[in-house]
Amino acid sequence: MVLDPPLASPIVGRLVVIGVGLIGSSILHAARARGLAGTRVAYDASPAVRERVLALGLADLVAATPEQAVRDADIVILCVPVGAMGAVAKEIGPHLKQGAIVSDVGSVKGAVLSALRAHLPEGVHIIPGHPVAGTEYSGPDSGFATLFKNRWSILTPPEGADPAAVAKLVELWSAMGANVETMTADHHDLVLAITSHVPHLIAYNIVGTAADLETVTQSEVIKYSAGGFRDFTRIAASDPTMWRDVFLNNREAVLEVLGRFTEDLIALQRSIRWAEGDKLFDLFTRTRAIRRSIIEIGQETAAPDFGRAHD
Amino acid sequence: MVLDPPLASPIVGRLVVIGVGLIGSSILHAARARGLAGTRVAYDASPAVRERVLALGLADLVAATPEQAVRDADIVILCVPVGAMGAVAKEIGPHLKQGAIVSDVGSVKGAVLSALRAHLPEGVHIIPGHPVAGTEYSGPDSGFATLFKNRWSILTPPEGADPAAVAKLVELWSAMGANVETMTADHHDLVLAITSHVPHLIAYNIVGTAADLETVTQSEVIKYSAGGFRDFTRIAASDPTMWRDVFLNNREAVLEVLGRFTEDLIALQRSIRWAEGDKLFDLFTRTRAIRRSIIEIGQETAAPDFGRAHD
Ligand SMILES: NC(=O)c1ccc[n+]([C@@H]2O[C@H](COP(=O)([O-])OP(=O)(O)OC[C@H]3O[C@@H](n4cnc5c(N)ncnc54)[C@H](OP(=O)(O)O)[C@@H]3O)[C@@H](O)[C@H]2O)c1
Ligand SMILES: NC(=O)c1ccc[n+]([C@@H]2O[C@H](COP(=O)([O-])OP(=O)(O)OC[C@H]3O[C@@H](n4cnc5c(N)ncnc54)[C@H](OP(=O)(O)O)[C@@H]3O)[C@@H](O)[C@H]2O)c1
């Protein structure tokens, strides 16, 4: 998979990325590959990460402080864990120029919008966002330019947001290969609760349950993981800080969806107990259709077993 | 991945596979590729499948009836859904020669052992088995010779089983590239409940929950599936007949493990409700270690995102 060739002229003058992990470094990769910004500026709280950004040539300028980073910025994208958004907004708020756009990539949108609003001054455009793309790895070395290609990126502009600022971000994400969709922060948080947050939670949970069983050893769990379990362990290997923050900040929607999941699971458990084969068969048939649709719209490959090489 | 070159002489004279789906056809592929059998014989209840087996050249002989198939068989491997094992055993029982070995590949072992014992005559060696390998596809076209390579294959010989018969099956599975382990049927059913059956159940369940939400449309679930959900849909696309049979036949162990899973999930839910970030962080950190071990012992690739191509 490759990105389109570089643009004739950049979309944005000064693009600032704060937090250079998987997502931040992928944005910088894509911006470099396609010439999206006049100047790419990066800042990360960790000195080791800042050095790595320099070594990888991900940014034109690496700032020593958040204040330095955002001076004269046209677009700032916060790529830190959800729980750190407020602190970063507080640090950069006083140093943003009028008309600057501040966005983010956090996996939760309602809580981030509140945090940004609390700390950013009037005259700055707050347009939160969330690219629905990722891997289980983190850090500045895990990013790549095509991470967002053919993936959806969601923007959640608050009521009254400046249309020109929204259009600029749509242009930026589109140029990174993403399809852009707009919705409210609340709806985003509900959609992601079912498509991402609760799936992660139950993956973490089943791996935890397996580790704690007394009747099956951990080495047996590991040996026989190819029966389905290993697919859950990939998800349950995702960054603990990021995911703690997701659950603490999207509590309501997660608890709502989790309630439905548990209710359904208990009905399923009852069907097993009472040997209601037809009910099991019906559910197992219904779920196949969703898989097919996901493959059809190109959000997944049809290769067996996720294309793990077998030939 | 490739198998070793063909053997100088076959391990078994007449090898019979009954039920030529994903697993049955993979056994026939591997047996052909490595010259494991003097004669490969196949039977399937479906005439269309029998024709396909001929067209693909998977067997030397395709039988018109189970009775024809097992005549003079040295090893018979039943590769039908767990719920069909008893019926097949009943059909072939009277036509087996003394000293024949009857094995199977069913995902549940206790119930299959009982079914085989009920219908097979004295003098036939019953050695149930289960290769822990698979994909979400089924049917005679979905098999391939390397499916079992570097995977574990479990044998569950009942007490008093003939050591020579067990050794023959170990030799056969090893020649197909598998690592072979022996355990009791009961222990198998508990191990697989946690490493395969309950993971499948919760995958089916979350996909069902998503389909039924009124507040999030099905097309949104499909669009934003890259956030984690799509990994569950692969598992939830597995064959409904096979999985119905698994849950009906491994009820006790599944309900036991499911009880633990639900208990743990409710504790996790409580941690979210009460914003116990430390508890979440601890669990999310603990689960990473298991992933690492699975990659280390070669049951998974370390490529990000299951090696879905991104560059
Ligand atoms: N990973 C995914 O799959 C994914 C997908 C979509 C969206 N997201 C969202 O994207 C954001 C970043 O995730 P990621 O996976 O890229 O994380 P990551 O790889 O862990 O990177 C986060 C980076 O931010 C730095 N950081 C933390 N607090 C900071 C602060 N106050 N000021 C400046 N830098 C700070 C971290 O430094 P330290 O290491 O020193 O803490 C780290 O280098 C999160 O909000 C997440 O919800 C993630
Ligand atoms: N799929 C996996 O990942 C996996 C992994 C390990 C073990 N297993 C076990 O392997 C066995 C087969 O699974 P599979 O995935 O290979 O299934 P599959 O692809 O659905 O194939 C099963 C085949 O058996 C045939 N069949 C059904 N009842 C029969 C009967 N009474 N006599 C003769 N043939 C009959 C079916 O024909 P029809 O289509 O006409 O019904 C079908 O062609 C199951 O017991 C399963 O638990 C599966």
Side-chain angles (χ1 to χ4, degrees):
Chain A
M1 212 192 270
V2 287
L3 288 179
D4 291 340
L7 299 178
S9 63
I11 289 173
V12 48
R14 201 173 180 91
L15 174 70
V16 180
V17 168
I18 308 234
V20 191
L22 171 68
I23 304 296
S25 66
S26 294
I27 292 175
L28 291 170
H29 271 292
R32 180 173 63 183
R34 296 220 56 210
L36 303 184
T39 309
R40 282 168 290 119
V41 183
Y43 171 74
D44 193 284
S46 151
V49 172
R50 295 201 296 267
E51 268 174 43
R52 213 44 214 141
V53 173
L54 277 179
L56 293 168
L58 288 177
D60 302 306
L61 299 169
V62 175
T65 65
E67 173 183 342
Q68 292 285 348
V70 302
R71 227 174 264 283
D72 291 321
D74 295 300
I75 298 182
V76 179
I77 307 184
L78 310 185
C79 303
V80 301
V82 166
M85 297 284 180
V88 175
K90 196 171 171 189
E91 288 175 319
I92 65 172
H95 313 288
L96 291 165
K97 74 174 180 199
Q98 284 289 304
I101 299 173
V102 176
S103 189
D104 78 301
V105 296
S107 306
V108 177
K109 298 272 58 79
V112 169
L113 179 58
S114 306
L116 299 188
R117 275 184 162 158
H119 295 294
L120 296 182
E122 283 288 310
V124 162
H125 302 295
I126 303 177
I127 320 279
H130 175 208
V132 184
T135 75
E136 67 276 29
Y137 293 101
S138 50
D141 287 283
S142 59
F144 48 96
T146 54
L147 178 63
F148 311 114
K149 176 135 186 185
N150 286 337
R151 294 286 168 251
W152 288 91
S153 195
I154 300 174
L155 295 178
T156 60
E159 250 195 71
D162 178 37
V166 176
K168 189 50 94 180
L169 281 176
V170 171
E171 202 186 344
L172 189 66
W173 281 109
S174 303
M176 292 193 274
N179 306 311
V180 187
E181 191 69 80
T182 295
M183 62 180 71
T184 66
D186 281 355
H187 190 61
H188 167 279
D189 289 353
L190 195 58
V191 170
L192 271 289
I194 181 65
T195 57
S196 177
H197 305 171
V198 170
H200 272 79
L201 195 73
I202 64 183
Y204 278 120
N205 192 64
I206 184 80
V207 177
T209 301
D212 292 343
L213 285 179
E214 308 82 17
T215 42
V216 177
T217 67
Q218 197 139 320
S219 91
E220 285 176 317
V221 168
I222 291 164
K223 261 164 96 169
Y224 305 118
S225 60
F229 185 76
R230 68 172 172 194
D231 297 348
F232 290 76
T233 64
R234 183 186 77 81
I235 301 184
S238 303
D239 188 64
T241 305
M242 164 183 164
W243 284 98
R244 177 202 59 201
D245 284 4
V246 166
F247 294 113
L248 295 180
N249 287 283
N250 195 23
R251 191 162 58 169
E252 248 175 82
V254 165
L255 291 179
E256 184 183 328
V257 171
L258 200 51
R260 293 290 289 259
F261 172 82
T262 309
E263 198 175 302
D264 292 346
L265 188 62
I266 284 173
L268 204 49
Q269 179 170 340
R270 196 169 183 282
S271 293
I272 294 175
R273 195 178 297 284
W274 294 99
E276 300 172 332
D278 290 0
K279 285 199 188 157
L280 299 177
F281 189 86
D282 285 350
L283 170 66
F284 300 171
T285 305
R286 219 150 56 80
T287 52
R288 282 190 137 172
I290 293 191
R291 172 76 183 170
R292 227 169 285 129
S293 310
I294 290 174
I295 293 172
E296 270 161 26
I297 69 160
Q299 293 300 299
E300 177 61 299
T301 151
D305 210 14
F306 279 141
R308 287 182 180 93
H310 53 66
D311 265 333
Chain B
M1 212 192 271
V2 287
L3 288 179
D4 292 340
L7 299 178
S9 64
I11 289 172
V12 48
R14 201 173 180 92
L15 174 70
V16 180
V17 168
I18 307 230
V20 190
L22 170 68
I23 304 295
S25 66
S26 293
I27 292 175
L28 290 170
H29 271 292
R32 178 173 64 183
R34 296 220 57 211
L36 304 183
T39 308
R40 281 169 290 119
V41 183
Y43 172 75
D44 193 283
S46 152
V49 172
R50 294 202 295 269
E51 269 174 43
R52 212 46 213 141
V53 173
L54 275 179
L56 293 168
L58 288 177
D60 303 307
L61 300 168
V62 176
T65 64
E67 173 183 341
Q68 292 286 348
V70 302
R71 228 174 263 284
D72 290 321
D74 296 299
I75 298 182
V76 178
I77 307 185
L78 310 185
C79 304
V80 300
V82 166
M85 297 284 180
V88 175
K90 197 171 171 188
E91 289 175 317
I92 65 172
H95 313 288
L96 292 164
K97 74 174 181 199
Q98 284 290 303
I101 299 173
V102 175
S103 189
D104 77 302
V105 297
S107 307
V108 177
K109 298 270 60 77
V112 170
L113 179 58
S114 306
L116 299 188
R117 275 183 163 158
H119 296 294
L120 297 182
E122 284 288 311
V124 163
H125 301 294
I126 303 177
I127 320 279
H130 175 207
V132 185
T135 75
E136 67 276 29
Y137 293 101
S138 50
D141 287 284
S142 59
F144 48 96
T146 54
L147 178 62
F148 311 112
K149 177 135 185 184
N150 285 336
R151 294 285 168 252
W152 288 90
S153 196
I154 300 174
L155 295 177
T156 59
E159 252 194 69
D162 177 38
V166 175
K168 189 51 94 180
L169 282 176
V170 170
E171 201 185 346
L172 189 66
W173 282 108
S174 304
M176 292 192 274
N179 307 311
V180 186
E181 191 70 80
T182 295
M183 61 181 71
T184 66
D186 281 353
H187 190 62
H188 167 278
D189 289 353
L190 195 59
V191 170
L192 271 289
I194 181 66
T195 58
S196 177
H197 306 171
V198 170
H200 272 80
L201 195 73
I202 64 183
Y204 278 120
N205 192 64
I206 184 82
V207 177
T209 301
D212 292 343
L213 285 179
E214 308 81 17
T215 41
V216 177
T217 67
Q218 196 138 321
S219 90
E220 285 177 315
V221 167
I222 291 164
K223 260 164 96 170
Y224 306 118
S225 60
F229 185 75
R230 68 172 171 193
D231 296 348
F232 290 76
T233 64
R234 182 186 77 82
I235 300 183
S238 303
D239 188 65
T241 306
M242 165 182 163
W243 284 98
R244 178 202 59 202
D245 284 4
V246 166
F247 294 114
L248 295 180
N249 287 283
N250 195 23
R251 191 162 58 169
E252 247 175 82
V254 165
L255 291 178
E256 184 183 328
V257 170
L258 199 52
R260 292 290 290 257
F261 171 83
T262 309
E263 197 175 301
D264 292 347
L265 188 63
I266 285 173
L268 204 49
Q269 179 170 339
R270 196 169 184 282
S271 293
I272 293 175
R273 196 178 296 283
W274 294 99
E276 300 173 331
D278 290 359
K279 284 200 188 156
L280 299 177
F281 189 85
D282 285 351
L283 171 67
F284 300 172
T285 305
R286 218 151 57 81
T287 53
R288 282 190 138 172
I290 292 191
R291 172 76 183 169
R292 227 169 285 130
S293 310
I294 290 174
I295 293 173
E296 270 161 26
I297 70 161
Q299 293 300 298
E300 177 61 299
T301 150
D305 211 13
F306 280 140
R308 287 182 180 93
H310 52 65
D311 265 332

